Amino acid sequence: MIVLVAKYYCLPDKGDEVQVYLQEMQPLVHEYEKGCTVYSANRSIENKDLFLIYEQYVDQAAFEAHRDTPHFREIIEGKIIPILERREREIYTPI
């Protein structure tokens, strides 16, 4: 199992836009990525331009396949990343 935790720090006042894109992304991951067992996007209550993304994959291959999907390329790389100040990612394995 592979766990990814990502933080998206949006450009000022871009949080609403990022939320819409993440809401587009979630059903696509659930429908087309059977190797992704959890895909949870969360928005900070204290900072509307901060998001926490939590993902679980059955194995490394499923994790790598996620980045190769058309929806990842279109939504994450094409729409979200350009309106972020920064993105932090950490990868874990359950113990």
Side-chain angles (χ1 to χ4, degrees), residues 1-9 52-57 63 67 87-93:
M1 175 97 37
I2 302 293
V3 173
L4 171 72
V5 177
K7 284 188 175 180
Y8 290 177
Y9 296 86
L52 174 76
I53 317 303
Y54 179 85
E55 306 169 21
Q56 284 187 343
Y57 297 89
F63 173 68
R67 295 182 59 96
R87 177 176 68 152
E88 297 174 356
R89 297 174 52 227
E90 296 177 345
I91 300 169
Y92 299 88
T93 57

Side-chain angles (χ1 to χ4, degrees), residues 14-85:
K14 292 294 184 179
D16 289 344
E17 192 173 342
V18 169
Q19 180 172 328
V20 169
Y21 296 144
L22 289 171
Q23 288 171 326
E24 289 177 21
M25 184 73 177
Q26 284 179 311
L28 296 170
V29 171
H30 292 302
E31 183 174 351
Y32 296 109
E33 297 183 50
K34 300 308 175 199
C36 180
T37 59
V38 176
Y39 188 91
S40 177
N42 306 274
R43 190 173 189 179
S44 172
I45 293 171
E46 297 170 345
N47 177 353
K48 296 297 185 182
D49 291 325
L50 174 61
F51 292 82
L52 174 76
I53 317 303
Y54 179 85
E55 306 169 21
Q56 284 187 343
Y57 297 89
V58 296
D59 57 22
Q60 185 69 30
F63 173 68
E64 291 172 9
H66 171 70
R67 295 182 59 96
D68 290 330
T69 62
H71 49 270
F72 182 88
R73 289 186 179 144
E74 178 187 343
I75 297 170
I76 302 299
E77 292 180 341
K79 296 178 181 178
I80 293 178
I81 290 176
I83 57 174
L84 297 182
E85 285 184 350

